[in-house]
DNA sequence: TAAAATCATTAGACAAGTCTAATATTTCTC
DNA sequence: GAGAAATATTAGACTTGTCTAATGATTTTA
């Protein structure tokens, strides 16, 4: 799974995922237009991605993402979104600029930086007083995603009784805030209490109290196992 | 002066400037060791930099930065420092990581983003209440370094009576805070009142009141002319 | 359904940036 | 100052990612 992939190929993969999502299928020309390159460049990128098992590709047939490709694309798009939200929501760049900068930077920063930027955006949006914000940054940032850290997984995959630290929450500033209202912010410690038999709701313990959360929402919360 | 330079060459130039500053002269081997590349790579980079007029280079002689090269290096190092401070001071990465991330990102972000990150770091460090911080971000960020903007220049080059917006302040969080105590933060409007004949002090007007500042310090404050 | 238009791929050139191996230069040491 | 060691450069290969020009495939249209 150590798909070590260049910035350029990351960009192709991300674009392909976006086009497929928008139109159902990605053609060479669409990709070329979107990335402002010529078609032969796309063809050779596709061959390269296929060689790495990230897409299924046959001549003249539409591109399909493999499972691994879809996963990689999701990670990249998550980084992109988090960065764009930061540049737009916090640094107040306009949408186009924020997107452009995110697109350049997304291939060079790791999950740790992303988590912390999200945490920062969230904290700035939520904190009552700036002294508290500073203290929050001092205390929380160092605990988010330390070193190699345990594997990251979505909250809904946590098993009963397991404890975890919240790493990343949602994909939009709006989503982040919604979760923050429940106390689910990057850095928070929580424990899975159990799940309803028919799958709709999860019950988690957070700072002493219990709360329920929809499984579908929980899938957007990334946590790391502790202890 | 449109020295359009690749990320790789920017890195070489930056490293050369650092080595010269630290040891007085930069040898091929020092550069190679620092950048973890082999010596022939350095040689060809040097030839390339020389071709662009950024360094003076003759075989087997120590590298010397040209005026234009020194200026470019200073810009890059300023970006690097600002980013490192942000990653370390705000996101609380450890020093080595902050430096590494800064080194990757510094070639991809423009002055606007840098200004805003500095402004953010400064604001987080100084604001009394978080509501005020949000308001500050809303009001200030959009005014910093809009679009192509006028030329940026150091505060000490402002002529009497000229007005300007502060873009970037100092190079360290410490420096930023010192200036912030005087009200000199990115986004602030100021006017040059005059300078002492023998050069030591500058007098500037800021938010109604006057204050004096050492010319040497003023050189570390970047402003953009308004109106 | 045949010609035209569009789309896609192959072939081959080119630039940037790295490397290894070989050669040249400078510096150190006795 | 001559040989050894360290440093620097050249030559040439290789990779990645782009391009143009030419060819092949598919779709549209008359």
């Amino acid at each position: 799974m150590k798909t070590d992939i260049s910035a350029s190929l990351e960009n192709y993969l991300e674009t392909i995922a976006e086009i497929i999502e928008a139109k159902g299928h990605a053609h060479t020309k669409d990709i070329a237009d979107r990335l402002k390159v010529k078609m032969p460049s796309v063809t050779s990128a596709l061959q390269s991605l296929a060689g790495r098992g990230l897409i299924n590709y046959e001549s003249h047939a539409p591109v399909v993402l493999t499972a691994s490709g879809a996963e990689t694309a999701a990670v990249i798009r998550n980084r992109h979104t988090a960065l764009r939200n930061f540049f737009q929501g916090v640094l107040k760049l306009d949408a186009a600029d924020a997107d452009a900068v995110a697109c350049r930077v997304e291939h060079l920063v790791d999950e740790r930086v992303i988590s912390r930027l999200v945490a920062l955006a969230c904290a700035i949006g939520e904190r009552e007083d700036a002294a508290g914000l500073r203290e929050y940054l001092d205390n929380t940032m160092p605990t988010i995603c330390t070193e190699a850290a345990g594997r990251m997984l979505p909250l809904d995959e946590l098993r009963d009784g397991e404890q975890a630290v919240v790493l990343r929450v949602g994909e939009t500033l709006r989503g982040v805030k919604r979760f923050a209202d429940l106390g689910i912010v990057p850095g928070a410690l929580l424990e899975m209490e159990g799940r309803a038999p028919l799958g709709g709701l999860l019950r988690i313990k957070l700072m002493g109290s219990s709360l329920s959360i929809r499984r579908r929402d929980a899938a957007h919360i990334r946590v790391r196992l502790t202890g």
Side-chain angles (χ1 to χ4, degrees), chain A:
Chain A
M1 197 57 50
K2 192 83 245 108
T3 6
D4 210 5
I5 187 185
S6 72
S8 168
L9 288 187
E10 273 193 9
N11 245 327
Y12 279 106
L13 192 60
E14 185 185 13
T15 303
I16 291 165
E18 279 167 12
I19 293 176
I20 287 179
E21 188 161 295
K23 313 183 24 177
H25 47 265
H27 287 282
T28 303
K29 186 160 194 299
D30 301 326
I31 303 169
D33 290 348
R34 184 82 85 89
L35 288 176
K36 306 244 175 62
V37 298
K38 296 295 187 288
M39 287 201 290
S41 306
V42 176
T43 300
S44 80
L46 293 181
Q47 289 162 347
S48 191
L49 287 171
R52 277 156 232 256
L54 296 167
I55 62 173
N56 290 324
Y57 169 64
E58 302 169 73
S59 276
H60 300 279
V63 177
V64 178
L65 295 177
T66 63
S68 141
E71 189 185 315
T72 305
V75 170
I76 299 166
R77 293 180 65 191
N78 212 314
R79 289 206 296 258
H80 182 99
T81 310
L83 286 167
R84 193 189 53 219
N85 286 338
F86 176 80
F87 290 126
Q88 189 172 359
V90 178
L91 296 193
K92 313 290 181 189
L93 295 185
D94 68 46
D97 283 343
D99 205 67
V101 177
C103 198
R104 293 202 299 275
V105 172
E106 68 192 3
H107 311 292
L108 299 175
V109 298
D110 54 31
E111 288 305 315
R112 216 179 15 167
V113 172
I114 298 291
S115 309
R116 290 175 188 216
L117 282 178
V118 172
L120 174 62
C122 173
I124 287 177
E126 293 298 328
R127 291 286 134 176
E128 292 297 311
D129 63 302
L133 171 60
R134 286 192 283 276
E135 199 183 304
Y136 170 81
L137 296 180
D138 284 342
N139 296 333
T140 305
M141 288 298 185
T143 76
I144 299 181
C145 217
T146 54
E147 309 106 42
R151 241 178 66 63
M152 220 166 79
L153 71 172
L155 176 55
D156 63 330
E157 290 180 11
L158 213 58
R159 277 166 300 187
D160 293 3
E162 284 182 334
Q163 292 192 331
V165 180
V166 176
L167 294 179
R168 210 196 307 147
V169 177
E171 300 196 339
T172 62
L173 272 184
R174 179 187 306 278
V176 165
K177 286 192 178 173
R178 224 184 65 230
F179 289 125
D181 289 341
L182 301 171
I184 303 177
V185 293
L189 259 171
L190 49 75
E191 179 182 329
M192 174 66 69
E193 286 197 332
R195 52 196 69 202
L198 286 180
L201 290 174
L202 305 179
R203 188 138 204 89
I204 62 175
K205 191 156 71 181
L206 181 78
M207 300 198 298
S209 66
S210 271
L211 57 88
S212 289
I213 182 174
R214 277 186 306 214
R215 167 176 238 139
R216 205 176 58 225
D217 293 340
H220 294 128
I221 299 172
R222 293 272 159 168
V223 302
R224 174 168 54 80
L225 282 171
T226 60

